[in-house]
Amino acid sequence: MTDVSNKIREEAGKLLEKGEVDVIIGFEKGSIPLSATPCFIRNEADIEKLIWNEYCGNNLSLYLSKARGKIGIIAKGCDTRAIVELIKEKQVQRERIVIIGVPCEGMLDRKRIMIRCQSRNITGIEDQGRQLLITGDSLNVAVEKDEFFYPACQVCANRNPVMCDVFIGNTIEEQKTDEFTDVTDFNEKPSEERWAYITDEIDRCIRCYACRNACPLCYCKECFVDATQPQWVGKTIEQSDTLSFHIMRSIHLAGRCIECGACERACPVMVDIRKLNRKMSADVKNMFGYKTGLDIDQPAPLSVFKPDDSEEFILDI
Amino acid sequence: MGNKETSWEPKIIAFLCNWCSYAGADLAGVGRMQYPANVRVIRVPCSGRISPFFILSSLQNGADGVLVSGCHPGDCHYLTGNYSARRKFALLKSQLEHIGIEKERVQFTWVSASEGGKFAEVINRVTETVKALGPAKRLVKKCL
Ligand code: SF4
Ligand code: SF4
Ligand code: FES
Protein backbone atom coordinates (compact mmCIF):
# COMPACT_ATOMS: atom_id res chain seq x y z
CA MET A 1 0.00 0.00 0.00
CA THR A 2 2.84 2.39 0.75
CA ASP A 3 4.26 1.79 -2.75
CA VAL A 4 0.92 2.73 -4.21
CA SER A 5 0.69 5.82 -2.01
CA ASN A 6 4.16 6.88 -3.12
CA LYS A 7 3.39 6.30 -6.76
CA ILE A 8 0.18 8.31 -6.43
CA ARG A 9 2.10 11.19 -4.84
CA GLU A 10 4.68 11.05 -7.59
CA GLU A 11 2.16 11.10 -10.43
CA ALA A 12 -0.05 13.69 -8.76
CA GLY A 13 3.01 15.85 -8.10
CA LYS A 14 4.00 15.72 -11.76
CA LEU A 15 0.55 16.76 -12.89
CA LEU A 16 0.43 19.72 -10.52
CA GLU A 17 3.97 20.75 -11.32
CA LYS A 18 3.40 20.75 -15.07
CA GLY A 19 0.20 22.66 -14.51
CA GLU A 20 -1.79 19.94 -16.22
CA VAL A 21 -4.38 20.04 -13.48
CA ASP A 22 -5.56 22.66 -11.00
CA VAL A 23 -6.54 20.23 -8.31
CA ILE A 24 -6.00 16.60 -7.36
CA ILE A 25 -8.88 14.80 -5.73
CA GLY A 26 -7.60 11.98 -3.57
CA PHE A 27 -7.56 10.65 -0.03
CA GLU A 28 -5.80 11.77 3.12
CA LYS A 29 -5.57 10.08 6.48
CA GLY A 30 -8.91 10.02 8.27
CA SER A 31 -9.43 11.61 11.65
CA ILE A 32 -10.74 8.40 13.19
CA PRO A 33 -9.30 4.89 13.02
CA LEU A 34 -10.08 2.71 10.00
CA SER A 35 -10.89 5.67 7.78
CA ALA A 36 -9.60 7.88 4.98
CA THR A 37 -11.02 11.25 4.02
CA PRO A 38 -11.38 12.77 0.55
CA CYS A 39 -9.00 15.67 0.08
CA PHE A 40 -8.37 18.35 -2.52
CA ILE A 41 -4.72 19.13 -3.21
CA ARG A 42 -3.96 22.37 -4.98
CA ASN A 43 -0.32 22.92 -3.98
CA GLU A 44 2.61 20.65 -4.58
CA ALA A 45 3.61 21.27 -0.98
CA ASP A 46 0.57 19.30 0.20
CA ILE A 47 1.19 16.30 -1.99
CA GLU A 48 2.54 14.27 0.96
CA LYS A 49 -0.94 14.23 2.42
CA LEU A 50 -2.13 11.83 -0.26
CA ILE A 51 -2.52 8.24 0.88
CA TRP A 52 -3.89 4.96 -0.39
CA ASN A 53 -5.20 2.13 1.76
CA GLU A 54 -8.13 -0.18 2.25
CA TYR A 55 -10.33 2.53 3.68
CA CYS A 56 -10.46 4.64 0.51
CA GLY A 57 -14.01 3.51 -0.16
CA ASN A 58 -15.57 6.84 -1.09
CA ASN A 59 -16.41 7.31 -4.72
CA LEU A 60 -14.48 10.49 -5.50
CA SER A 61 -16.17 10.97 -8.86
CA LEU A 62 -18.93 12.50 -6.75
CA TYR A 63 -16.97 15.75 -6.79
CA LEU A 64 -16.44 15.91 -10.55
CA SER A 65 -19.76 17.49 -11.36
CA LYS A 66 -19.11 20.13 -8.69
CA ALA A 67 -15.41 21.01 -9.06
CA ARG A 68 -14.15 23.64 -11.51
CA GLY A 69 -11.02 23.77 -13.66
CA LYS A 70 -8.87 20.84 -14.68
CA ILE A 71 -9.08 17.95 -12.28
CA GLY A 72 -6.82 15.04 -11.50
CA ILE A 73 -8.72 12.26 -9.80
CA ILE A 74 -7.61 9.07 -8.08
CA ALA A 75 -10.05 6.40 -9.20
CA LYS A 76 -10.72 2.74 -8.44
CA GLY A 77 -12.57 0.44 -10.84
CA CYS A 78 -16.03 1.48 -9.63
CA ASP A 79 -15.05 5.16 -9.63
CA THR A 80 -13.99 4.95 -13.26
CA ARG A 81 -17.31 3.34 -14.12
CA ALA A 82 -19.05 6.30 -12.52
CA ILE A 83 -16.84 8.64 -14.54
CA VAL A 84 -17.91 6.89 -17.75
CA GLU A 85 -21.54 7.53 -16.89
CA LEU A 86 -20.87 11.12 -15.86
CA ILE A 87 -19.13 11.84 -19.15
CA LYS A 88 -21.98 10.21 -21.03
CA GLU A 89 -24.46 12.35 -19.14
CA LYS A 90 -22.40 15.46 -19.86
CA GLN A 91 -21.72 16.26 -16.24
CA VAL A 92 -18.00 16.45 -16.87
CA GLN A 93 -15.96 16.71 -20.05
CA ARG A 94 -13.34 14.06 -20.72
CA GLU A 95 -10.75 16.76 -21.60
CA ARG A 96 -11.19 18.34 -18.21
CA ILE A 97 -10.05 15.34 -16.18
CA VAL A 98 -6.93 13.29 -15.76
CA ILE A 99 -7.75 9.91 -14.31
CA ILE A 100 -5.15 8.28 -12.10
CA GLY A 101 -6.40 4.72 -12.05
CA VAL A 102 -5.70 2.38 -9.14
CA PRO A 103 -6.68 -1.30 -9.10
CA CYS A 104 -8.60 -2.21 -5.95
CA GLU A 105 -8.92 -5.50 -4.14
CA GLY A 106 -11.84 -4.38 -2.05
CA MET A 107 -12.41 -1.77 0.62
CA LEU A 108 -13.00 -2.55 4.26
CA ASP A 109 -16.28 -1.88 5.95
CA ARG A 110 -15.44 0.33 8.90
CA LYS A 111 -18.89 0.17 10.44
CA ARG A 112 -18.99 -3.60 10.53
CA ILE A 113 -15.46 -3.75 11.92
CA MET A 114 -16.47 -1.29 14.62
CA ILE A 115 -19.41 -3.49 15.52
CA ARG A 116 -17.00 -6.42 15.75
CA CYS A 117 -14.90 -4.27 18.08
CA GLN A 118 -18.00 -3.51 20.12
CA SER A 119 -17.45 0.17 19.29
CA ARG A 120 -14.62 0.34 21.82
CA ASN A 121 -11.93 2.94 21.57
CA ILE A 122 -9.23 1.73 19.17
CA THR A 123 -5.62 2.59 19.94
CA GLY A 124 -3.65 0.29 17.66
CA ILE A 125 -4.13 -1.39 14.31
CA GLU A 126 -1.57 -3.78 12.99
CA ASP A 127 -1.97 -4.78 9.37
CA GLN A 128 -0.88 -8.38 8.87
CA GLY A 129 -1.88 -8.71 5.25
CA ARG A 130 -5.00 -10.83 5.42
CA GLN A 131 -5.71 -9.92 9.01
CA LEU A 132 -6.00 -6.80 11.11
CA LEU A 133 -4.94 -6.99 14.75
CA ILE A 134 -6.93 -4.36 16.54
CA THR A 135 -6.17 -3.31 20.07
CA GLY A 136 -7.71 -0.75 22.37
CA ASP A 137 -9.53 -0.28 25.64
CA SER A 138 -10.05 -3.88 26.82
CA LEU A 139 -9.94 -4.84 23.18
CA ASN A 140 -7.79 -7.32 21.38
CA VAL A 141 -9.29 -8.78 18.24
CA ALA A 142 -8.06 -10.28 15.03
CA VAL A 143 -10.22 -9.32 12.07
CA GLU A 144 -10.18 -11.43 8.91
CA LYS A 145 -10.25 -8.90 6.10
CA ASP A 146 -12.08 -11.30 3.80
CA GLU A 147 -15.13 -11.13 6.01
CA PHE A 148 -15.23 -7.38 6.13
CA PHE A 149 -15.09 -6.16 2.56
CA TYR A 150 -18.09 -4.05 1.56
CA PRO A 151 -20.96 -5.99 -0.01
CA ALA A 152 -20.41 -4.04 -3.23
CA CYS A 153 -16.75 -5.08 -3.31
CA GLN A 154 -17.64 -8.71 -2.76
CA VAL A 155 -19.51 -8.86 -6.04
CA CYS A 156 -17.39 -6.35 -7.96
CA ALA A 157 -16.39 -7.42 -11.46
CA ASN A 158 -14.35 -4.32 -12.28
CA ARG A 159 -11.53 -4.05 -9.81
CA ASN A 160 -9.27 -2.56 -12.46
CA PRO A 161 -10.01 0.90 -13.80
CA VAL A 162 -12.10 0.66 -16.98
CA MET A 163 -10.59 3.89 -18.29
CA CYS A 164 -7.61 5.95 -17.14
CA ASP A 165 -4.75 8.22 -18.19
CA VAL A 166 -2.19 7.13 -15.62
CA PHE A 167 -2.20 3.60 -14.26
CA ILE A 168 -0.75 2.90 -10.82
CA GLY A 169 0.49 -0.55 -9.85
CA ASN A 170 -0.32 -3.78 -11.65
CA THR A 171 -3.47 -5.08 -13.21
CA ILE A 172 -5.14 -7.51 -10.83
CA GLU A 173 -7.25 -10.53 -11.56
CA GLU A 174 -10.97 -9.85 -11.79
CA GLN A 175 -13.28 -11.79 -9.52
CA LYS A 176 -15.38 -14.47 -11.11
CA THR A 177 -18.50 -13.11 -9.55
CA ASP A 178 -21.48 -15.05 -10.67
CA GLU A 179 -23.42 -11.91 -11.21
CA PHE A 180 -26.74 -11.21 -9.57
CA THR A 181 -27.17 -14.48 -7.71
CA ASP A 182 -27.98 -12.29 -4.70
CA VAL A 183 -30.90 -10.81 -6.63
CA THR A 184 -32.18 -14.17 -7.88
CA ASP A 185 -31.88 -15.69 -4.41
CA PHE A 186 -33.89 -12.88 -2.93
CA ASN A 187 -36.49 -13.08 -5.69
CA GLU A 188 -37.08 -16.72 -4.93
CA LYS A 189 -38.27 -15.96 -1.43
CA PRO A 190 -42.00 -15.68 -0.88
CA SER A 191 -43.43 -12.19 -1.33
CA GLU A 192 -44.32 -11.95 2.38
CA GLU A 193 -40.72 -12.53 3.30
CA ARG A 194 -39.39 -10.02 0.78
CA TRP A 195 -41.83 -7.40 1.98
CA ALA A 196 -40.88 -8.06 5.59
CA TYR A 197 -37.18 -7.74 4.81
CA ILE A 198 -37.51 -4.55 2.77
CA THR A 199 -39.80 -2.82 5.23
CA ASP A 200 -37.58 -3.82 8.12
CA GLU A 201 -34.69 -2.11 6.38
CA ILE A 202 -36.65 0.91 5.21
CA ASP A 203 -38.24 1.49 8.62
CA ARG A 204 -34.81 2.38 9.96
CA CYS A 205 -34.32 5.12 7.39
CA ILE A 206 -34.30 8.59 8.93
CA ARG A 207 -34.49 10.39 5.57
CA CYS A 208 -31.14 12.10 6.00
CA TYR A 209 -30.46 11.66 2.26
CA ALA A 210 -26.82 10.83 2.87
CA CYS A 211 -27.27 7.99 0.36
CA ARG A 212 -28.32 10.44 -2.30
CA ASN A 213 -25.62 12.93 -1.41
CA ALA A 214 -22.88 10.31 -1.60
CA CYS A 215 -24.03 8.96 -4.95
CA PRO A 216 -22.02 10.24 -7.91
CA LEU A 217 -25.00 9.81 -10.22
CA CYS A 218 -27.41 11.73 -7.94
CA TYR A 219 -26.38 15.13 -9.21
CA CYS A 220 -29.78 16.68 -9.98
CA LYS A 221 -29.89 20.33 -8.88
CA GLU A 222 -33.29 19.69 -7.42
CA CYS A 223 -33.96 16.13 -6.32
CA PHE A 224 -37.53 14.84 -6.77
CA VAL A 225 -37.62 14.23 -3.06
CA ASP A 226 -37.09 17.93 -2.32
CA ALA A 227 -39.56 19.16 -4.92
CA THR A 228 -42.67 20.77 -3.55
CA GLN A 229 -44.46 21.75 -6.75
CA PRO A 230 -45.66 19.11 -7.13
CA GLN A 231 -44.63 17.26 -4.02
CA TRP A 232 -44.12 13.74 -5.32
CA VAL A 233 -43.06 12.16 -2.07
CA GLY A 234 -44.35 13.07 1.36
CA LYS A 235 -41.80 14.38 3.82
CA THR A 236 -42.61 12.06 6.69
CA ILE A 237 -40.76 8.98 7.84
CA GLU A 238 -43.89 6.97 7.50
CA GLN A 239 -43.07 3.71 5.75
CA SER A 240 -45.11 4.57 2.68
CA ASP A 241 -43.23 7.82 2.07
CA THR A 242 -39.80 6.43 2.85
CA LEU A 243 -40.30 3.39 0.69
CA SER A 244 -41.62 5.50 -2.17
CA PHE A 245 -38.49 7.63 -1.94
CA HIS A 246 -36.31 4.55 -2.21
CA ILE A 247 -38.32 2.94 -5.00
CA MET A 248 -38.22 6.17 -6.99
CA ARG A 249 -34.55 6.62 -6.37
CA SER A 250 -33.83 3.13 -7.64
CA ILE A 251 -35.92 3.75 -10.75
CA HIS A 252 -34.19 7.06 -11.34
CA LEU A 253 -30.85 5.29 -11.11
CA ALA A 254 -31.84 2.33 -13.25
CA GLY A 255 -29.35 2.00 -16.07
CA ARG A 256 -27.14 4.59 -14.36
CA CYS A 257 -26.16 3.10 -10.99
CA ILE A 258 -22.68 1.64 -11.25
CA GLU A 259 -22.98 -0.36 -8.03
CA CYS A 260 -20.17 1.34 -6.17
CA GLY A 261 -22.02 1.00 -2.87
CA ALA A 262 -21.37 4.61 -1.86
CA CYS A 263 -25.00 4.99 -0.87
CA GLU A 264 -24.83 2.09 1.52
CA ARG A 265 -21.51 3.21 2.99
CA ALA A 266 -22.92 6.65 3.69
CA CYS A 267 -26.01 5.43 5.47
CA PRO A 268 -25.77 6.03 9.22
CA VAL A 269 -28.24 3.27 10.01
CA MET A 270 -26.97 0.67 7.55
CA VAL A 271 -30.05 0.34 5.39
CA ASP A 272 -29.59 -2.29 2.69
CA ILE A 273 -30.16 0.20 -0.12
CA ARG A 274 -28.41 -1.90 -2.70
CA LYS A 275 -31.22 -4.48 -2.51
CA LEU A 276 -33.20 -2.10 -4.69
CA ASN A 277 -30.40 -0.85 -6.91
CA ARG A 278 -29.03 -4.32 -7.60
CA LYS A 279 -32.45 -5.44 -8.74
CA MET A 280 -32.55 -2.64 -11.28
CA SER A 281 -29.03 -3.45 -12.46
CA ALA A 282 -30.02 -7.10 -12.92
CA ASP A 283 -33.14 -6.13 -14.84
CA VAL A 284 -31.34 -3.64 -17.04
CA LYS A 285 -28.86 -6.35 -17.91
CA ASN A 286 -31.40 -9.10 -18.47
CA MET A 287 -34.03 -7.01 -20.24
CA PHE A 288 -31.92 -4.58 -22.22
CA GLY A 289 -28.49 -6.21 -22.29
CA TYR A 290 -26.80 -3.23 -20.71
CA LYS A 291 -24.15 -2.92 -18.05
CA THR A 292 -23.42 0.55 -16.75
CA GLY A 293 -20.12 2.36 -16.77
CA LEU A 294 -18.23 0.43 -19.39
CA ASP A 295 -18.68 2.22 -22.68
CA ILE A 296 -19.00 5.97 -23.24
CA ASP A 297 -20.60 5.46 -26.64
CA GLN A 298 -23.34 3.10 -25.58
CA PRO A 299 -26.57 5.08 -25.01
CA ALA A 300 -28.31 4.82 -21.64
CA PRO A 301 -30.92 2.04 -21.73
CA LEU A 302 -33.80 4.29 -20.77
CA SER A 303 -32.97 6.83 -23.46
CA VAL A 304 -33.48 4.31 -26.22
CA PHE A 305 -35.74 1.35 -27.04
CA LYS A 306 -36.11 -1.56 -29.37
CA PRO A 307 -39.41 -2.15 -31.14
CA ASP A 308 -39.20 -5.76 -30.02
CA ASP A 309 -38.48 -5.11 -26.33
CA SER A 310 -40.14 -7.72 -24.14
CA GLU A 311 -43.91 -7.40 -23.74
CA GLU A 312 -44.13 -10.17 -21.23
CA PHE A 313 -45.57 -7.92 -18.56
CA ILE A 314 -48.24 -6.38 -20.78
CA LEU A 315 -51.78 -7.53 -20.04
CA ASP A 316 -52.94 -9.26 -23.19
CA ILE A 317 -56.62 -9.88 -23.75
CA MET B 1 -70.49 1.39 7.02
CA GLY B 2 -71.98 -2.09 6.66
CA ASN B 3 -69.99 -5.24 6.46
CA LYS B 4 -66.58 -4.42 5.00
CA GLU B 5 -66.15 -7.94 3.72
CA THR B 6 -69.10 -7.79 1.42
CA SER B 7 -69.36 -4.11 0.61
CA TRP B 8 -65.76 -3.48 -0.32
CA GLU B 9 -65.17 -2.45 -3.90
CA PRO B 10 -61.67 -1.82 -5.22
CA LYS B 11 -60.63 1.61 -6.39
CA ILE B 12 -58.69 1.48 -9.62
CA ILE B 13 -56.92 4.40 -11.20
CA ALA B 14 -56.62 4.18 -14.98
CA PHE B 15 -54.16 6.39 -16.84
CA LEU B 16 -55.36 6.43 -20.42
CA CYS B 17 -53.63 7.90 -23.42
CA ASN B 18 -55.82 10.54 -25.03
CA TRP B 19 -55.35 9.29 -28.59
CA CYS B 20 -56.22 5.66 -28.23
CA SER B 21 -57.28 4.13 -24.94
CA TYR B 22 -59.31 7.14 -23.87
CA ALA B 23 -61.08 7.06 -27.21
CA GLY B 24 -61.44 3.30 -26.75
CA ALA B 25 -63.16 3.96 -23.43
CA ASP B 26 -65.40 6.44 -25.20
CA LEU B 27 -66.31 3.90 -27.80
CA ALA B 28 -67.16 1.38 -25.09
CA GLY B 29 -69.47 4.03 -23.63
CA VAL B 30 -71.08 4.89 -26.95
CA GLY B 31 -71.57 1.20 -27.63
CA ARG B 32 -73.23 0.88 -24.17
CA MET B 33 -70.90 -1.88 -23.14
CA GLN B 34 -71.05 -2.87 -19.51
CA TYR B 35 -67.98 -2.68 -17.32
CA PRO B 36 -67.50 -2.22 -13.58
CA ALA B 37 -67.60 1.29 -12.18
CA ASN B 38 -64.41 0.79 -10.19
CA VAL B 39 -62.12 2.75 -12.46
CA ARG B 40 -61.30 6.42 -12.10
CA VAL B 41 -59.94 7.57 -15.42
CA ILE B 42 -57.14 10.10 -15.76
CA ARG B 43 -56.53 11.24 -19.31
CA VAL B 44 -52.93 11.83 -20.32
CA PRO B 45 -51.52 12.98 -23.66
CA CYS B 46 -49.47 9.81 -24.21
CA SER B 47 -48.35 6.76 -22.27
CA GLY B 48 -44.90 8.34 -22.45
CA ARG B 49 -46.24 11.11 -20.21
CA ILE B 50 -46.83 8.72 -17.35
CA SER B 51 -44.13 8.87 -14.76
CA PRO B 52 -43.61 6.06 -12.27
CA PHE B 53 -44.46 8.79 -9.73
CA PHE B 54 -48.07 8.78 -10.92
CA ILE B 55 -48.32 5.10 -10.25
CA LEU B 56 -46.62 5.19 -6.86
CA SER B 57 -48.68 8.19 -5.77
CA SER B 58 -51.85 6.34 -6.68
CA LEU B 59 -50.84 3.34 -4.63
CA GLN B 60 -49.78 5.53 -1.71
CA ASN B 61 -53.00 7.46 -1.72
CA GLY B 62 -55.55 4.71 -1.66
CA ALA B 63 -55.73 3.04 -5.07
CA ASP B 64 -56.10 -0.72 -4.86
CA GLY B 65 -54.96 -1.08 -8.42
CA VAL B 66 -53.49 0.99 -11.24
CA LEU B 67 -54.03 0.49 -14.94
CA VAL B 68 -51.98 2.16 -17.62
CA SER B 69 -53.10 1.94 -21.20
CA GLY B 70 -51.58 3.45 -24.32
CA CYS B 71 -51.56 3.07 -28.07
CA HIS B 72 -50.35 -0.21 -29.53
CA PRO B 73 -46.62 -0.28 -30.28
CA GLY B 74 -46.09 1.46 -33.59
CA ASP B 75 -49.29 3.51 -33.24
CA CYS B 76 -48.19 6.18 -30.76
CA HIS B 77 -49.35 9.65 -31.81
CA TYR B 78 -45.88 10.89 -30.95
CA LEU B 79 -44.28 7.89 -32.64
CA THR B 80 -42.17 6.48 -29.82
CA GLY B 81 -43.75 7.57 -26.52
CA ASN B 82 -45.08 4.12 -25.77
CA TYR B 83 -41.80 2.41 -26.65
CA SER B 84 -39.89 4.49 -24.10
CA ALA B 85 -42.70 4.07 -21.59
CA ARG B 86 -42.58 0.30 -22.03
CA ARG B 87 -39.01 0.14 -20.73
CA LYS B 88 -39.84 2.30 -17.70
CA PHE B 89 -42.96 0.30 -16.87
CA ALA B 90 -41.14 -3.01 -17.19
CA LEU B 91 -38.63 -1.85 -14.58
CA LEU B 92 -41.22 -0.35 -12.23
CA LYS B 93 -43.39 -3.43 -12.31
CA SER B 94 -40.42 -5.67 -11.69
CA GLN B 95 -39.17 -3.55 -8.80
CA LEU B 96 -42.57 -3.48 -7.12
CA GLU B 97 -42.76 -7.24 -7.32
CA HIS B 98 -39.20 -7.55 -6.04
CA ILE B 99 -40.01 -5.70 -2.84
CA GLY B 100 -43.15 -7.71 -2.26
CA ILE B 101 -46.00 -5.65 -3.67
CA GLU B 102 -48.50 -7.89 -5.50
CA LYS B 103 -47.64 -7.57 -9.15
CA GLU B 104 -51.26 -7.78 -10.27
CA ARG B 105 -52.01 -4.42 -8.68
CA VAL B 106 -50.24 -2.58 -11.45
CA GLN B 107 -51.24 -3.46 -15.01
CA PHE B 108 -50.19 -2.23 -18.39
CA THR B 109 -51.94 -2.73 -21.68
CA TRP B 110 -52.54 -1.32 -25.14
CA VAL B 111 -56.04 -0.39 -26.31
CA SER B 112 -56.70 1.40 -29.59
CA ALA B 113 -59.48 3.87 -30.37
CA SER B 114 -61.42 1.17 -32.20
CA GLU B 115 -61.19 -1.40 -29.41
CA GLY B 116 -64.18 -0.45 -27.25
CA GLY B 117 -64.82 -4.12 -26.58
CA LYS B 118 -61.24 -4.73 -25.50
CA PHE B 119 -61.41 -1.75 -23.17
CA ALA B 120 -64.47 -3.15 -21.42
CA GLU B 121 -62.82 -6.53 -21.15
CA VAL B 122 -59.61 -5.06 -19.73
CA ILE B 123 -61.56 -3.23 -17.05
CA ASN B 124 -63.46 -6.39 -16.23
CA ARG B 125 -60.31 -8.42 -15.94
CA VAL B 126 -58.37 -5.87 -13.90
CA THR B 127 -61.27 -5.29 -11.54
CA GLU B 128 -61.71 -9.00 -10.96
CA THR B 129 -58.01 -9.55 -10.29
CA VAL B 130 -57.76 -6.65 -7.86
CA LYS B 131 -60.94 -7.73 -6.12
CA ALA B 132 -59.46 -11.15 -5.61
CA LEU B 133 -56.38 -9.59 -4.03
CA GLY B 134 -58.44 -7.59 -1.57
CA PRO B 135 -57.76 -4.05 -0.34
CA ALA B 136 -54.22 -2.76 -0.83
CA LYS B 137 -52.23 -2.79 2.40
CA ARG B 138 -48.66 -2.33 1.29
CA LEU B 139 -47.30 1.10 0.45
CA VAL B 140 -50.59 2.70 1.51
CA LYS B 141 -50.25 5.87 3.54
CA LYS B 142 -51.64 5.60 7.06
CA CYS B 143 -52.42 9.26 7.37
CA LEU B 144 -53.44 11.06 4.23
S1 SF4 C 1 -27.03 4.25 -6.16
FE1 SF4 C 1 -25.43 3.69 -4.68
S2 SF4 C 1 -24.29 2.05 -5.69
FE2 SF4 C 1 -25.46 3.09 -7.31
S3 SF4 C 1 -24.08 4.66 -8.15
FE3 SF4 C 1 -25.29 5.64 -6.52
S4 SF4 C 1 -24.02 5.45 -4.67
FE4 SF4 C 1 -23.17 3.99 -6.17
S1 SF4 D 1 -28.55 7.35 4.07
FE1 SF4 D 1 -29.77 5.75 5.08
S2 SF4 D 1 -31.00 6.85 6.62
FE2 SF4 D 1 -30.19 8.39 5.22
S3 SF4 D 1 -31.85 8.64 3.71
FE3 SF4 D 1 -30.42 7.11 2.86
S4 SF4 D 1 -31.27 5.13 3.55
FE4 SF4 D 1 -32.24 6.72 4.80
S1 FES E 1 -49.97 8.86 -28.01
FE1 FES E 1 -50.89 7.05 -27.20
S2 FES E 1 -49.14 6.11 -26.30
FE2 FES E 1 -48.19 7.86 -27.21
Side-chain angles (χ1 to χ4, degrees), chain A residues 79-127:
Chain A
D79 307 344
T80 57
R81 284 180 64 195
I83 296 174
V84 167
E85 290 299 320
L86 286 170
I87 294 174
K88 198 184 289 179
E89 296 182 8
K90 307 215 168 15
Q91 293 308 305
V92 65
Q93 298 74 34
R94 181 69 184 92
E95 319 72 78
R96 213 154 65 75
I97 52 175
V98 178
I99 305 168
I100 305 175
V102 189
C104 160
E105 288 183 74
M107 291 291 159
L108 291 172
D109 190 339
R110 188 180 61 84
K111 281 188 213 127
R112 276 194 299 130
I113 298 181
M114 284 310 286
I115 291 173
R116 175 82 176 71
C117 296
Q118 298 164 316
S119 302
R120 297 240 171 86
N121 195 15
I122 294 176
T123 51
I125 301 163
E126 196 182 313
D127 194 333

Side-chain angles (χ1 to χ4, degrees), chain A residues 84 88 290 294-300:
Chain A
V84 167
K88 198 184 289 179
Y290 183 89
L294 297 184
D295 180 359
I296 295 186
D297 297 318
Q298 199 183 5

